[in-house]
Amino acid sequence: MLRIFIVSLFLAFTFQVQAQDKWSLQKCIDYALENNLQVKQSNLDVESADISLFGSKMSNLPSVNGNLGLNTSTGRTIDPFTNTINDRGINSQTAGISASVPLFDGFQRYNSIKRDQYGQLAAESDLKTIQNNVSLNVVTFYTNILFNKELLETAKLRLETTESQESRIEKQVEIGALAQADLLQIRQQKANDELEVVRAENNLNLSYLQLKQALQIPANQDFDIEIPELPEPNTGELMESSANVYQYALQNQPVIKAAEYRKESAFRSIGVARSRYYPSLSLNAGISTNYSDAAPAQFPVLGSENITITRPIGIVENTGQLVVTQDEIPSEFRENTYWNQLDFNQRRFVGLSLNIPIFNQFQVRNSVQQAIITKKRSDYQLTAAKNDLQQTIEQAYLDVKAAAKSYSALNNSFEASELSFKNAEQRLELGAIDAVQFTQIKNDFERVKSDLIRAKYDYIFKLKVLDFYQGKPLNF
């Protein structure tokens, strides 16, 4: 008893895990959007556009650069401390930091930021377009599984019906109510029905494989989907006109948004190119210092007062009079240490730099012309995107109307065919018709039934596509 209990518990747990593994349509869509390689690549395009936009915005900040230098020279060379010529080896060091702020650049930075903003929006819209395409593919394959599942169930029921008819005909043949040919006919029909079951199973397996490939999961992975409760399609419900659907899609579809953003980005690129026609003005500032081992042992203290000293320079001949001169020298001196020298040699500067373009081998002109061509190309691409969208929606609208009519007509045909089939079953049991006639009526009924299932899912999917262009969620 304990073993039976454990086995039952294990089977129950396994069944529960398998039930939990069934994927809903939304789970399939979410998984595909997370793992699809095209989506991942498009995400990288968005990241790249973000970086470009960040770089354009940061171009408004100052550029700051530092420099360090270590030099050794021999022979006649200029001492960087005294700017005098020395005939000896000199070791020197230089250090500095400078900054530059662009004040005016012909609106190049402004247009660059705008261009990259629209470029980033276009990349995001491209990502949404790819996500929509991936979602539609998942819906297509998911619907195919539902369709093929129902076809398989129908094929199995058809086989069960034929097997039941075979059993009844065998009994009627045994009592002589029907001929042996009727039994052979029904057995041939049974073989055909078995073949249809195999075909339906293969089609179902293929639809599972297509969905797995869309989700990029291994073909041998256990996988099943949830079967949603699909209401019978209402072909009489009012639909938006194709013009209204197009107007809504025109304002909301990311493929149109991307084309519009690229058009604006191309327009801003013209401004970027034209900015090189204008002068550019920048503010520059910096501080630098240097050290030389040829500097004197002492140097004046910066800011100290000067004093006047008198020193002899010679004696006048004949009179013996002393000749003197007066010099002004700093009153305080500092020892020539490394840090004191760096402090003493500091130099600071602030200035404006104006760059005026005069002639550039027509490079700016060519850049502007290329930008204008790119702008015209983006105009055409936007027009083409709008035309494609309009044609797609008009085609989807006509497809829905045609699918609704087909489903409605097949529904009526199915009702008549079902009554004919039931009547044929009764007449077969009474011996009023033979197996050949019954098989023909049964085949007609099954064909209409299969066509009705196909029309049902065709209408559901095409209506879902039209709903997509109206911004409705892709779920059942």
Side-chain angles (χ1 to χ4, degrees):
M1 293 296 295
L2 180 59
R3 287 184 178 179
I4 295 176
F5 174 77
I6 293 175
V7 172
S8 300
L9 186 62
F10 174 78
L11 291 176
F13 175 77
T14 303
F15 177 79
Q16 182 180 5
V17 170
Q18 291 177 347
Q20 290 174 348
D21 285 340
K22 290 191 174 183
W23 292 42
S24 66
L25 175 60
Q26 189 60 52
K27 181 178 179 180
C28 290
I29 291 175
D30 293 340
Y31 187 89
L33 294 180
E34 184 178 352
N35 295 276
N36 184 270
L37 292 180
Q38 285 185 315
V39 173
K40 290 182 178 181
Q41 291 174 353
S42 187
N43 270 316
L44 293 179
D45 293 337
V46 173
E47 291 181 18
S48 178
D50 290 339
I51 293 172
S52 297
L53 177 58
F54 178 79
S56 296
K57 289 181 177 179
M58 293 303 102
S59 65
N60 286 315
L61 298 178
S63 60
V64 181
N65 298 283
N67 64 84
L68 294 172
L70 179 62
N71 305 290
T72 299
S73 60
T74 58
R76 291 176 61 82
T77 181
I78 296 178
D79 182 359
F81 184 86
T82 62
N83 285 327
T84 59
I85 296 177
N86 285 328
D87 190 8
R88 52 158 290 186
I90 297 177
N91 295 321
S92 62
Q93 299 175 22
T94 60
I97 186 170
S98 60
S100 178
V101 182
L103 301 179
F104 179 75
D105 57 1
F107 303 104
Q108 179 179 358
R109 287 168 298 147
Y110 173 79
N111 285 309
S112 295
I113 292 173
K114 290 296 183 181
R115 176 198 63 196
D116 292 341
Q117 281 178 339
Y118 287 118
Q120 190 253 3
L121 292 172
E124 290 181 346
S125 296
D126 286 338
L127 173 60
K128 292 178 182 178
T129 298
I130 293 176
Q131 289 174 334
N132 287 342
N133 292 337
V134 170
S135 299
L136 280 175
N137 282 337
V138 170
V139 172
T140 301
F141 298 136
Y142 197 96
T143 306
N144 285 342
I145 292 177
L146 297 178
F147 165 63
N148 287 315
K149 270 181 173 289
E150 192 159 342
L151 281 184
L152 177 59
E153 292 300 320
T154 302
K156 289 180 177 179
L157 288 175
R158 183 190 311 157
L159 178 59
E160 291 177 3
T161 302
T162 303
E163 288 174 343
S164 176
Q165 291 295 335
E166 179 190 21
S167 177
R168 288 199 296 267
I169 290 176
E170 281 180 346
K171 294 178 182 179
Q172 291 178 318
V173 169
E174 289 175 358
I175 63 175
L178 290 175
Q180 185 69 26
D182 292 329
L183 180 58
L184 295 177
Q185 179 67 32
I186 205 69
R187 285 177 177 173
Q188 182 182 355
Q189 181 62 41
K190 176 184 174 182
N192 292 335
D193 291 345
E194 288 173 345
L195 180 60
E196 288 301 318
V197 170
V198 173
R199 288 175 177 170
E201 288 175 343
N202 290 337
N203 289 335
L204 179 59
N205 291 333
L206 178 60
S207 60
Y208 269 116
L209 178 61
Q210 290 174 331
L211 181 56
K212 285 181 179 181
Q213 291 174 342
L215 299 179
Q216 295 182 346
I217 61 178
N220 59 354
Q221 178 176 323
D222 291 335
F223 177 82
D224 202 0
I225 66 170
E226 292 181 358
I227 308 299
E229 292 292 334
L230 294 178
E232 286 299 317
N234 182 10
T235 57
E237 66 182 58
L238 295 176
M239 293 188 301
E240 289 282 350
S241 66
S242 60
N244 290 341
V245 175
Y246 172 68
Q247 288 302 320
Y248 179 87
L250 201 60
Q251 301 298 322
N252 296 277
Q253 278 296 306
V255 66
I256 301 299
K257 293 290 186 182
E260 290 175 342
Y261 292 141
R262 284 196 171 87
K263 175 183 175 180
E264 292 297 329
S265 179
F267 173 74
R268 295 297 178 177
S269 293
I270 297 175
V272 173
R274 282 177 173 165
S275 65
R276 294 174 58 191
Y277 279 130
Y278 300 98
S280 59
L281 180 66
S282 60
L283 174 65
N284 306 300
I287 181 172
S288 64
T289 186
N290 65 281
Y291 168 83
S292 171
D293 63 0
Q298 290 185 329
F299 45 83
V301 175
L302 295 176
S304 61
E305 295 182 359
N306 291 339
I307 59 175
T308 301
I309 61 172
T310 302
R311 60 183 178 86
I313 59 175
I315 298 176
V316 179
E317 295 182 0
N318 301 328
T319 64
Q321 184 178 0
L322 181 66
V323 180
V324 299
T325 185
Q326 291 183 333
D327 295 323
E328 289 191 355
I329 62 172
S331 60
E332 297 181 51
F333 286 84
R334 301 172 67 183
E335 294 296 325
N336 181 13
T337 65
Y338 180 81
W339 296 108
N340 285 345
Q341 187 178 152
L342 292 181
D343 182 56
F344 181 78
N345 287 337
Q346 284 188 32
R347 294 181 296 277
R348 303 173 182 86
F349 73 91
V350 176
L352 292 174
S353 176
L354 180 64
N355 181 32
I356 303 174
I358 297 176
F359 181 70
N360 49 41
Q361 301 87 33
F362 298 102
Q363 294 300 311
V364 177
R365 174 188 174 279
N366 292 340
S367 297
V368 172
Q369 293 300 317
Q370 290 290 353
I372 291 174
I373 292 174
T374 301
K375 168 62 168 56
K376 290 180 179 179
R377 184 177 290 112
S378 67
D379 291 340
Y380 298 147
Q381 290 172 345
L382 175 58
T383 302
K386 290 180 178 179
N387 291 340
D388 290 343
L389 180 64
Q390 185 175 17
Q391 293 171 7
T392 301
I393 290 176
E394 289 174 349
Q395 184 64 52
Y397 187 80
L398 292 177
D399 288 344
V400 169
K401 292 182 68 176
K405 290 180 179 179
S406 297
Y407 178 73
S408 179
L410 284 169
N411 214 3
N412 296 332
S413 178
F414 173 77
E415 293 176 0
S417 182
E418 186 178 29
L419 290 175
S420 177
F421 173 67
K422 290 180 179 179
N423 179 263
E425 281 186 315
Q426 295 174 357
R427 294 171 63 193
L428 179 65
E429 292 179 0
L430 297 174
I433 60 173
D434 58 22
V436 176
Q437 293 175 309
F438 172 76
T439 300
Q440 182 63 43
I441 295 173
K442 179 178 181 294
N443 288 341
D444 291 341
F445 170 67
E446 297 299 342
R447 177 182 54 79
V448 172
K449 188 175 182 180
S450 297
D451 290 343
L452 179 62
I453 294 172
R454 183 176 289 103
K456 170 186 174 182
Y457 283 97
D458 183 55
Y459 176 66
I460 289 174
F461 174 72
K462 288 177 177 176
L463 188 61
K464 188 59 63 177
V465 171
L466 196 62
D467 287 344
F468 161 75
Y469 288 109
Q470 299 177 73
K472 297 179 181 179
L474 287 173
N475 52 38
F476 294 116

